[in-house]
Amino acid sequence: MKTALGEELLRKQPLRISRFCHRFTKNGVVAWYHSLRLKPIFISKTLSDLLLAYENGQTTELFLKKLPANQQENGKKIVGNLYAAEMLMEVQDDELNKLRQLKQKFLGEPAIGVLYLLLNDGCNFRCTYCFIENSLPPGYHFSTMSKETARRSLDLYSRVLLKGVGRKTIIFYGGEPLINLGALQFCLKYIRELKDKGLLPENLATTINTNGSLVTEEVVSLFHEHNVAVSVSLDGPKEIHDQCRRTTNNQGTFGQAIRGFQLLKDGKVNVGVSCTIGDHNLDQLPQIVEWLISDLGINFLGLNPLTDLPGKPLSSESYIKKFSEASIQCFLIARKYGLYEDRMMRKVEAFVKHEVYPFDCAGCGRQLVIAPDGKVGVCHAYTGTREYFSETELSKLNPAQEAIWQEWCKRSPLGMPQCVGCPALGICGGGCPYNAQLNFGSIWCRDSYFCIYAQRILKWLIWDVYEQAQKQKVAP
């Protein structure tokens, strides 16, 4: 932040309101908020209305003359705070410089931290909304990853992993990855060897997304031995879960999923839930989250909005509004238990730390996705079409030299002109490039439904800060 102007200069220097400053009003209070500084300042509406005179530039001396004598000291303090937070700035200042600095910091080169290994692209379930299985083209040939391809994939990851990035994670994915248990066993052993040789960091996390149906005591022991975090797909209790998560012969899958979850829980594995949110469970979502935490004892939680399918949009404006409100309720429930939902927590951490969050999707230059046949791409949603997958052979691939990663690493609201005026610019991350392309023709279009989510979460965060501060004031 800027240092405060000297009092005399502050009074004489013409100031104006930054284009990155946004205002939110509630119950006679106005939150002034800088979308790249991420810290609100709360002002009475009466005083805020007077401050709007700074829109076209004015001196603070002139502003203070509009205030009663007993309010001038407070007015001067607020102007100083707004100036320090860069919501008020000198008329001649180049306010785009901050945006350029952030683009230079975040949008330069690919910074690989995440590896998705698709051990198998087939699945023993047929979930109605699955964006992998339901996006495969006619005649697609399913395959499983060989141990040799797995080894070469891990060698590539160890070679290109940027050691300085915050999130370093290998995610075993599918289809249903446990169909290819042999490759998974090989991978976990080889990861240990690479760590012992110093080729992978010790703090590298390994996770797996599974429907739970193929979990056995052997699998539980494997996960426990190698400290694998397991996310089981579970949409709620049986009558809810079974509506969309079906077997290949159209039977409900809750019994299989909960059996696998319980085996993992009993085996002291770090196990959580990935819950896909649709019409089947959206209205009951807070109760479902309460059940997942208090009854099942999950260790972590992900609430996933629907991903649209080719020719079959699953999302809508009304859906995402309801999802946003339910997410807030669920966050409050989880916070009560000391557990945090992943998608919301990304926004909360950025806001609380006042640190810009440039990418909501690791596909934006932060990850490798390796299909069972060894083809490498940026996003697993393109597994079927292989769009945004490279033709370069595994052993020779360098994301920093690949046009696909060079493009995707810049796909952030910070680099999208249509996003610059959005109040959620600093916490949004841009949503899903796949959804943007599917619905609007390009990854560079806005994921417009996600915009609704990000803006609603921002408003809630701002007023949650205010309400918590008010509670502290009245506390004995």
Side-chain angles (χ1 to χ4, degrees), residues 169-172 188 191 195 204-208 226-229:
T169 308
I170 294 176
I171 302 170
F172 298 105
L188 293 174
I191 289 169
K195 286 183 176 182
L204 171 74
T206 51
T207 69
I208 186 168
H226 293 278
N227 194 28
V228 179

Side-chain angles (χ1 to χ4, degrees), residues 275-277 303-307 315 319-320 323 343 450:
C275 184
T276 299
I277 312 305
L303 300 178
N304 306 312
L306 295 171
T307 298
S315 192
Y319 161 78
I320 204 66
F323 174 80
R343 189 173 303 275
F450 192 85

Side-chain angles (χ1 to χ4, degrees), residues 394-423:
L394 265 173
S395 63
K396 299 177 181 178
L397 189 138
N398 182 353
Q401 297 174 358
E402 293 275 337
I404 295 170
W405 280 268
Q406 289 173 356
E407 177 184 9
W408 277 63
C409 77
K410 296 176 174 59
R411 201 277 181 187
S412 164
L414 300 176
M416 299 168 68
Q418 67 269 43
C419 296
V420 171
C422 177

Side-chain angles (χ1 to χ4, degrees), residues 32-44:
W32 285 53
Y33 176 79
H34 193 295
S35 60
L36 296 178
R37 294 295 183 182
L38 314 187
K39 186 175 183 180
I41 294 177
F42 301 99
I43 305 170
S44 72

